[in-house]
Amino acid sequence: MSTRNRDIILLILVAIIAIVPMVMYSGLGEDQGYFVGSDDGASQVIEKLGYQPWFSSFWEPPSGEIESLLFALQAAIGAIIIGYFIGYWRGTSKYEKE
């Protein structure tokens, strides 16, 4: 099999993997029960048991989008810190070998 044929087959597979989920869930979302996480199920079970929380949040984001933004920002900062230390350790080990 030539490289060109392999590239075309891989491109078709990537297109299929990208398009099939969009077709399967087109227009469907949380209202229909799709994409509901385990946190929702766990919180419902805990509420049925009559659990009372110890404290409440002192600030809640005004919308889900801002909450997602803050979570993504936190993940990005963590990734930058981890990447810095991995790069630092790798650089020092290369320097020590020379």
Side-chain angles (χ1 to χ4, degrees):
M1 178 182 288
S2 72
T3 308
R4 182 172 167 83
N5 289 340
R6 186 186 67 199
D7 292 344
I8 291 173
I9 290 172
L10 288 174
L11 184 62
I12 291 171
L13 285 174
V14 167
I16 289 171
I17 290 172
I19 292 172
V20 166
M22 289 186 225
V23 172
M24 287 175 57
Y25 297 109
S26 61
L28 302 176
E30 292 181 20
D31 297 338
Q32 290 82 13
Y34 292 101
F35 309 115
V36 176
S38 62
D39 289 344
D40 294 332
S43 64
Q44 290 173 0
V45 170
I46 290 171
E47 287 173 3
K48 286 181 186 176
L49 295 174
Y51 173 77
Q52 295 296 321
W54 297 351
F55 59 90
S56 62
S57 298
F58 61 89
W59 179 75
E60 287 195 23
S63 69
E65 290 84 9
I66 294 176
E67 185 177 357
S68 297
L69 171 73
L70 293 173
F71 181 76
L73 183 64
Q74 177 185 1
I77 291 170
I80 289 170
I81 292 170
I82 291 170
Y84 171 79
F85 282 108
I86 289 174
Y88 177 77
W89 288 327
R90 186 169 180 173
T92 56
S93 67
K94 280 187 177 181
Y95 178 73
E96 289 173 358
K97 286 181 182 178
E98 293 177 356

